[in-house]
Amino acid sequence: MDVLQVAGFLDNSLVNGKGLRAVLFLSGCHHNCKGCHNKAMQDFCYGEKVCIQEILLRIKNNMPLIKGVTFSGGEPFEQADTLYKLAWAVKSEGLNIWCYTGYTLEYILDNLNNKGWRELISSIDVLVDGRFEEEKAAKDLRYRGSSNQRIIDVKESLKNNNITIYNVD
Ligand code: SF4
């Protein structure tokens, strides 16, 4: 059975990516950013273990209302080995995927041999990357906490071999 350590779930949200989206918060993060808003979720044991089939069912119960699913945390890439299976199932339902990560896209691409990283990044449409930097935080930033973080169109970036910023308008 494929199980994820889940810190939280929102059936629908407008602030965690473009359009109405389900949001899955994954437990566990090593980044330890100063000013982290989700400190409790840094703990790899926080929350509960949930089978990916159960999460998928809950997501499907919100279709066709939602446009996609957002993975947040915590650090979703720490559970990539199981999370990619959920991501692939979500994609097969025709939903798009946003993912928040403290890693940069460049770092992820340099470490594709980490378990599940290649599979997970290949399923993500939009990546909001980089650690939260308190001194670069601003309230008016859409879909991100600090200005160093980038909202990246992953498919275009991989196709062009160049970071392509996603147009949020
Ligand atoms: S990456 Fe996110 S969850 Fe992890 S420490 Fe930084 S702000 Fe907190």
Side-chain angles (χ1 to χ4, degrees), residues 29 31-33 36-39 42 73-75 101-102 131-132:
C29 180
H31 297 298
N32 199 20
C33 309
C36 169
H37 296 289
N38 299 331
K39 214 160 174 54
Q42 291 182 24
E75 173 51 69
T101 176
R131 295 177 52 181
F132 173 69

Side-chain angles (χ1 to χ4, degrees), residues 7-135:
F9 184 86
L10 300 173
D11 285 305
N12 40 62
S13 161
L14 279 168
V15 296
N16 291 276
K18 196 169 174 179
L20 195 63
R21 324 181 58 76
V23 188
L24 178 68
F25 296 90
L26 286 312
S27 305
C29 180
H30 291 302
H31 297 298
N32 199 20
C33 309
K34 191 173 153 227
C36 169
H37 296 289
N38 299 331
K39 214 160 174 54
M41 296 183 192
Q42 291 182 24
D43 183 347
F44 283 79
C45 296
Y46 182 82
E48 54 180 341
K49 292 190 180 347
V50 188
C51 164
I52 61 172
Q53 292 308 326
E54 197 181 322
I55 301 168
L56 186 63
L57 197 63
R58 196 158 160 190
I59 290 167
K60 283 166 77 171
N61 282 343
N62 275 295
M63 292 175 65
L65 267 183
I66 53 171
K67 293 278 172 282
V69 177
T70 297
F71 300 143
S72 187
E75 173 51 69
F77 273 79
E78 303 303 351
Q79 297 193 62
D81 200 20
T82 301
L83 185 58
Y84 85 83
K85 295 176 189 173
L86 175 64
W88 284 5
V90 165
K91 291 295 289 183
S92 71
E93 295 296 330
L95 295 169
N96 64 50
I97 295 182
W98 279 49
C99 181
Y100 285 79
T101 176
Y103 297 111
T104 61
L105 178 58
E106 290 88 340
Y107 183 87
I108 292 167
L109 296 178
D110 280 345
N111 289 278
L112 290 178
N113 288 334
N114 287 352
K115 276 191 168 178
W117 280 31
R118 185 183 300 277
E119 292 85 351
L120 183 57
I121 196 66
S122 74
S123 70
I124 293 168
D125 297 286
V126 176
L127 188 79
V128 185
D129 83 338
R131 295 177 52 181
F132 173 69
E133 294 184 20
E134 202 174 33
E135 51 288 352

Side-chain angles (χ1 to χ4, degrees), residues 37 100 128 132-133 136-139 141 143-147 149:
H37 296 289
Y100 285 79
V128 185
F132 173 69
E133 294 184 20
K136 293 180 182 163
K139 288 212 164 56
L141 293 169
Y143 307 131
R144 56 197 176 131
S146 56
S147 60
Q149 296 170 321

